[in-house]
Amino acid sequence: MSRPDRPASRRGSAAAPTGQRRLLRAPAVQALLIQCGAVLPTLFLVYLLATLRLPVTLLTVALLQGALAALVTYKLELAPWWRPIQFLFPVALLGASALRLPPSLFLGGFLFLLVLYWSTFRTQVPYYPSRLAVWQAVEQLLPAGAVRMIDIGSGLGGLVLYLARRRPDADCVGIELAPLPWAVSAVRARLAGSAARFLRGDYELLDFAQFDLVFAYLSPAAMDGLWRKASAEMRPGTVLLSYEFAIVARAPDRTLAPVEGGPPLYAWYF
């Protein structure tokens, strides 16, 4: 999820390099740069094959490009799932070109994925929907009384709407940066007449001290940063929950299994 613009007073000449470094650290950007960097070595290998009078087709070029990009991805220790993506990307481009699909179809698909996933390319936090059994487990862990809870990366709003219905004494909030899921959750709350509230923004700009319970269903890549923020901001007596993904820096205080054989729900008490 990308961050909304910060106030102008915090901008300046030093902000651009910081933003550029952050962008260059994004795995998707690194993967794209690797593909670009593999072009010249691929052309050199194609030249060698042609010199040896070996048959060279467009599929051969795509496979060479993908293999080189996957190898560099492995050497740079990007997440393992990037290797097959890098290998298959040139082949997929070749296949899409062969289908002769109208450009408007690609544009429409891109715009839909943009509003659905927004800046997943940087945050490495895709859309992970939870389920009713998880919501019920969170309900059991929600402190009694007039408490405030937030679902960071709330998606379509299912958990927040459920808790707002089940716990009318609680202030239930969701925050989501991707425009489409946020809009859907806000419309769902209005149509249901729910007291649930949905914010559009980056949870990293929130102060966790406002909340008694923070729920996260993010990704392994986000957990270290989440723990640093939670340990710095959460008050004594509050709870951090993470579904499926643990925190390496500290073992959970409690682990639940909302679905038999499914991912665990981890809890940390402050």
Side-chain angles (χ1 to χ4, degrees):
M1 298 184 294
S2 61
R3 294 178 175 81
D5 288 341
R6 296 178 184 271
S9 60
R10 300 185 65 176
R11 296 176 186 164
S13 59
T18 301
Q20 291 171 4
R21 286 195 297 269
R22 185 182 298 117
L23 182 63
L24 290 175
R25 285 197 300 267
V29 175
Q30 293 178 3
L32 179 60
L33 292 175
I34 289 170
Q35 286 286 349
C36 294
V39 170
L40 287 179
T42 298
L43 293 177
F44 178 71
L45 290 176
V46 169
Y47 171 76
L48 288 181
L49 292 175
T51 302
L52 297 172
R53 299 184 181 277
L54 296 174
V56 178
T57 65
L58 287 177
L59 179 59
T60 304
V61 176
L63 291 172
L64 286 173
Q65 168 84 14
L68 286 172
L71 178 62
V72 175
T73 299
Y74 168 74
K75 291 295 186 181
L76 293 180
E77 298 183 346
L78 268 67
W81 57 78
W82 280 108
R83 299 167 201 168
I85 292 175
Q86 291 283 63
F87 179 71
L88 295 173
F89 180 71
V91 180
L93 286 181
L94 182 62
S97 176
L99 291 175
R100 300 184 182 277
L101 298 173
S104 58
L105 185 62
F106 291 99
L107 177 61
F110 170 76
L111 292 177
F112 174 75
L113 293 175
L114 177 65
V115 296
L116 179 61
Y117 292 108
W118 207 238
S119 61
T120 294
F121 77 93
R122 179 181 64 80
T123 62
Q124 303 183 75
V125 180
Y127 171 57
Y128 286 130
S130 55
R131 58 179 77 181
L132 177 60
V134 179
W135 307 346
Q136 292 170 336
V138 175
E139 180 187 0
Q140 295 174 7
L141 297 174
L142 189 63
V147 296
R148 298 189 72 196
M149 68 78 56
I150 187 163
D151 179 359
I152 56 174
S154 52
L156 300 179
L159 169 64
V160 180
L161 291 167
Y162 172 83
L163 292 177
R165 183 172 66 252
R166 297 283 296 176
R167 287 286 304 273
D169 59 326
D171 182 14
C172 300
V173 184
I175 184 167
E176 174 61 54
L177 190 52
L180 183 58
W182 167 79
V184 170
S185 59
V187 169
R188 290 180 67 190
R190 175 159 300 214
L191 292 177
S194 174
R197 297 184 294 115
F198 293 95
L199 311 175
R200 182 172 178 267
D202 188 339
Y203 73 83
E204 292 187 14
L205 302 181
L206 286 177
D207 183 2
F208 281 1
Q210 305 173 63
F211 303 99
D212 301 287
L213 182 144
V214 175
F215 174 82
Y217 189 13
L218 302 176
S219 79
M223 299 311 294
D224 287 345
L226 173 63
W227 177 246
R228 286 193 296 270
K229 180 174 178 61
S231 59
E233 298 177 1
M234 294 191 71
R235 297 173 286 105
T238 58
V239 186
L240 171 66
L241 301 179
S242 174
Y243 183 54
E244 186 169 350
F245 305 114
I247 292 170
V248 175
R250 176 176 155 182
D253 297 306
R254 187 176 179 184
T255 302
L256 295 83
V259 181
E260 185 176 356
L265 175 65
Y266 301 105
W268 292 265
Y269 296 96
F270 291 83

